[in-house]
Amino acid sequence: MTITATAPRASAYRGRLRWWTELPLIAVVYALYSCGRLLVRGDVDNAVESGIDILHLEELMRIDPERWLNGICTKYAAIGVPADFAYASLHYLVTPVILVWLWRRRPTHYRAARTWLMLSTLIGLIGFTLMPTAPPRLLDSSHGFIDTMAQYGSYGWWGQDASAPRGLGGLTNQYAAMPSLHVGWSLWCGIMLWRYGRTPLVRSLGILYPLITTFVVMGTANHYLLDAVAGAAVMGIGYLLAPRALLAVDALRARWAVRSGATTTAEGHSPVVAASATAAASGTKAPAPSAPRTAQHGPVPSGVATPRTGAHDEHRDEHRSDPSGRSSVGQGRMS
């Protein structure tokens, strides 16, 4: 019953989401994110200083598992190599796959989820701009970190410049550790799998994926723990702002509908469209079109039935009395 009732509505909703508009929109946001990382590299000395400050703060708070996790990935290639592959590829693969899955299977939730992800990504870009931060692997060796991407570079396509392919290290910003959007995107993916997955396996992956990503970013010495916390916080801010952003977009669409309706009315078409669009923009109820007048002034010709105008008239007709003074309704009940 539920599937039958909701399937047509979901199909109609997906009909308003066109892939040729959705795909360029996502591409533009990702291009802004990538270009922003390239343009805002920041001063190297300040970035290194910020990384050391974060590390010292974690040590003061006794929440600095980065060295221990990095030691595991460095000592055991069976762990370090898959971790490097995961860091270099999963966020480019899993996030788009889940977006497509939502668009195909959960269209009524896709628009809000996509808006949430995009806003969080742009907020992360602001974080890169305001606080360029060197990751642990770029600190002095005295801090005890080893760059596993460089250590296991012969296993993959990446070089010694983060996860960029060999020879393309200049196309990436290595001082964009704060916040960790690897963790932020994985948290978004996990929530989508948990909320909209139908099987225990899918929901379990929704829990494991963010946890594995958090281990990977610290084990490969690409992020601090506080970077991961900041990535989760960025997603929280994006979640709070997404409904307001959608309302603003809908308001702009309503205004555009008002203008389109006014143009249609000016061309001689029915003004009902313009009235409906105006009511949608203002939040009021559109006036219902008036019913055609059926009664005429003067006597009604014989043989023509007068139309009933409402439930009150029907109730009055039922209690009309016959010439003898007895109610016709009562006679009907007795018969």
Side-chain angles (χ1 to χ4, degrees):
M1 178 64 71
T2 302
I3 296 176
T4 305
T6 59
R9 183 175 61 181
S11 176
Y13 189 89
R14 185 168 54 238
R16 303 200 303 267
L17 300 172
R18 305 296 183 181
W19 68 265
W20 55 83
T21 58
E22 289 297 315
L23 191 58
L25 179 61
I26 296 173
V28 166
V29 173
Y30 182 76
L32 290 175
Y33 162 72
S34 300
C35 293
R37 291 186 61 179
L38 295 178
L39 294 175
V40 187
R41 299 187 181 219
D43 182 70
V44 174
D45 293 335
N46 289 335
V48 172
E49 184 178 351
S50 296
I52 295 175
D53 289 342
I54 291 175
L55 187 60
H56 287 168
L57 178 60
E58 290 183 353
E59 292 173 350
L60 182 63
M61 299 173 64
R62 298 178 182 267
I63 52 169
D64 54 333
E66 296 92 344
R67 291 189 184 90
W68 176 66
L69 296 175
N70 182 237
I72 294 176
C73 292
T74 301
K75 185 176 181 180
Y76 303 102
I79 299 177
V81 173
D84 286 341
F85 273 99
Y87 181 82
S89 60
L90 284 187
H91 67 295
Y92 293 116
L93 299 176
V94 177
T95 309
V97 166
I98 292 183
L99 275 172
V100 173
W101 172 67
L102 289 173
W103 186 79
R104 294 288 301 171
R105 305 299 297 272
R106 303 291 184 271
T108 55
H109 303 290
Y110 167 81
R111 184 169 176 248
R114 174 256 286 159
T115 304
W116 176 17
L117 180 65
M118 289 182 175
L119 284 177
S120 301
T121 301
L122 295 177
I123 295 171
L125 177 58
I126 296 174
F128 301 151
T129 305
L130 298 179
M131 187 177 177
T133 305
R137 64 184 180 81
L138 293 183
L139 299 181
D140 187 83
S141 59
S142 60
H143 293 282
F145 294 101
I146 297 177
D147 186 356
T148 62
M149 305 293 290
Q151 180 181 0
Y152 301 120
S154 60
Y155 289 88
W157 60 84
W158 57 85
Q160 297 185 4
D161 302 312
S163 58
R166 293 184 182 91
L168 299 179
L171 298 180
T172 185
N173 178 13
Q174 300 190 69
Y175 301 99
M178 173 66 76
S180 172
L181 285 186
H182 277 76
V183 174
W185 288 358
S186 68
L187 179 61
W188 177 88
C189 293
I191 293 174
M192 294 301 105
L193 293 175
W194 175 262
R195 291 187 63 181
Y196 305 122
R198 291 180 177 176
T199 65
L201 176 60
V202 173
R203 302 186 75 184
S204 298
L205 290 176
I207 298 175
L208 291 176
Y209 181 54
L211 296 177
I212 292 174
T213 302
T214 303
F215 166 80
V216 163
V217 299
M218 289 189 290
T220 58
N222 279 286
H223 288 282
Y224 308 93
L225 176 61
L226 289 181
D227 294 344
V229 174
V234 162
M235 299 308 297
I237 296 173
Y239 176 80
L240 295 176
L241 294 179
R244 304 188 181 193
L246 289 174
L247 287 176
V249 171
D250 291 340
L252 290 175
R253 288 182 175 177
R255 291 181 181 179
W256 178 258
V258 169
R259 295 181 179 179
S260 300
T263 303
T264 303
T265 305
E267 292 175 355
H269 296 282
S270 172
V272 176
V273 176
S276 301
T278 306
S282 60
T284 59
K285 185 176 180 181
S290 58
R293 300 182 60 182
T294 56
Q296 303 291 333
H297 293 288
V300 179
S302 60
V304 178
T306 303
R308 303 280 177 88
T309 58
H312 178 72
D313 293 337
E314 294 178 1
H315 182 72
R316 182 179 60 190
D317 292 341
E318 289 179 357
H319 290 79
R320 286 178 178 172
S321 300
D322 59 12
S324 62
R326 290 176 300 177
S327 172
S328 60
V329 176
Q331 293 179 358
R333 290 179 180 176
M334 293 295 294
S335 61

